[in-house]
């Protein structure tokens, strides 16, 4: 919704100037997949490697965001959409600050992810699908969420009582059931290099 009484305030420092200072482009890498598919693990591994290469990055984790920014939201479809809308707007602001944003959200609905993509210029939103079947994620069940969902303790749980719509045009698909976190992180760094987010001098360390 456009507000006529609110005017966007532009920074005196441009995104291009921040990128020049950082020696890398900013971008949003959006990790999507079922709970337990490895999104956060891969995002944090990428963050560590980028830090070691003097790149400015930050992980926006779905659980962390729900502790604060989205603590008032549940998991019904409309609330999930609002959760992703807020997360995407936060990611956009981080990218304007010149950072590489590693956003790890189940984000089960394709339309919500497409709206997040539409906030950024072409090539600045890189969707990474952590592909892992429900059965494998349920077998891991690190947080015990699938067990609770099966017991009826958690409603609208993605993959059990709520659908997951897989990406149709992700920039990268990671079969996280067959490759480890280190290999997956390496492929994400390859993607960042391919899109010119990090330069050749950042690769390898």
């Amino acid at each position: 919704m456009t507000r006529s009484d609110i005017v966007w305030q532009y920074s005196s420092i441009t995104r291009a100037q921040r990128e020049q200072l950082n020696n890398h482009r900013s971008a949003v890498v959006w990790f999507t997949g079922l709970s337990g598919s490895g999104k956060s693990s891969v995002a944090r591994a990428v963050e560590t490697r980028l830090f070691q290469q003097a790149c400015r990055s930050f992980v926006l984790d779905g659980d962390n965001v729900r502790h604060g920014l989205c603590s008032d939201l549940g998991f019904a479809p409309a609330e999930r959409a609002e959760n992703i809308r807020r997360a995407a707007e936060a990611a956009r602001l981080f990218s304007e600050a010149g950072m590489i944003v590693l956003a790890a959200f189940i984000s089960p609905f394709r339309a919500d992810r497409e709206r997040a993509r539409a906030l950024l210029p072409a090539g600045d939103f890189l969707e990474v699908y952590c592909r892992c079947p429900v059965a494998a994620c349920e077998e891991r069940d690190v947080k015990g969420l699938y067990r609770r969902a099966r017991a009826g303790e958690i409603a609208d749980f993605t993959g059990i009582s709520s659908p997951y719509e897989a990406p149709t045009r992700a920039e990268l698909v990671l079969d996280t059931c067959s490759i480890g976190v280190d290999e997956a992180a390496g492929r994400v760094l390859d993607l960042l290099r391919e899109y010119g987010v990090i330069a050749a001098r950042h690769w390898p360390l």
Side-chain angles (χ1 to χ4, degrees):
M1 179 177 68
T2 302
R3 292 282 303 271
S4 60
D5 56 334
I6 297 176
V7 178
W8 183 266
Q9 298 297 307
Y10 291 92
S11 172
S12 58
I13 310 299
T14 67
R15 171 181 166 179
Q17 288 173 313
R18 297 178 194 276
E19 291 177 332
Q20 184 176 20
L21 178 66
N22 294 341
N23 288 316
H24 62 74
R25 280 206 316 112
S26 61
V28 174
V29 183
W30 193 279
F31 296 85
T32 178
L34 295 171
S35 177
S37 62
K39 302 179 299 300
S40 294
S41 296
V42 176
R44 296 208 178 279
V46 173
E47 181 184 41
T48 297
R49 292 199 189 184
L50 289 173
F51 181 81
Q52 291 169 344
Q53 297 176 36
C55 295
R56 289 176 169 83
S57 65
F58 190 76
V59 173
L60 282 180
D61 182 82
D63 282 353
N64 290 357
V65 168
R66 281 188 174 273
H67 273 284
L69 179 64
C70 297
S71 61
D72 58 325
L73 299 175
F75 293 89
E79 291 175 292
R80 284 184 182 274
E82 175 60 13
N83 179 61
I84 297 307
R85 187 194 71 79
R86 294 182 194 180
E89 290 287 357
R92 181 173 69 89
L93 291 173
F94 271 94
S95 71
E96 283 296 317
M99 301 188 72
I100 300 170
V101 186
L102 307 167
F105 294 84
I106 294 173
S107 45
F109 302 122
R110 196 172 296 122
D112 295 338
R113 299 192 303 268
E114 288 303 313
R115 278 191 287 271
R117 180 188 290 274
L119 290 175
L120 295 156
D124 283 2
F125 183 95
L126 305 176
E127 189 175 39
V128 176
Y129 175 28
C130 293
R131 183 168 60 191
C132 191
V134 174
C137 292
E138 191 168 1
E139 187 175 330
R140 295 174 179 175
D141 204 13
V142 177
K143 302 174 185 176
L145 299 178
Y146 284 95
R147 175 185 54 76
R148 293 177 59 199
R150 291 290 187 189
E153 298 174 12
I154 302 177
D156 298 310
F157 190 80
T158 304
I160 302 297
S161 53
S162 186
Y164 177 80
E165 299 172 356
T168 56
R169 57 173 184 147
E171 279 72 21
L172 179 64
V173 177
L174 298 172
D175 286 308
T176 50
C177 284
S178 59
I179 64 172
V181 171
D182 286 343
E183 182 177 349
R187 294 186 187 182
V188 175
L189 287 169
D190 279 338
L191 179 71
L192 291 173
R193 186 187 184 197
E194 176 187 346
Y195 276 81
V197 177
I198 58 175
R201 64 178 176 275
H202 289 133
W203 187 271
L205 180 63

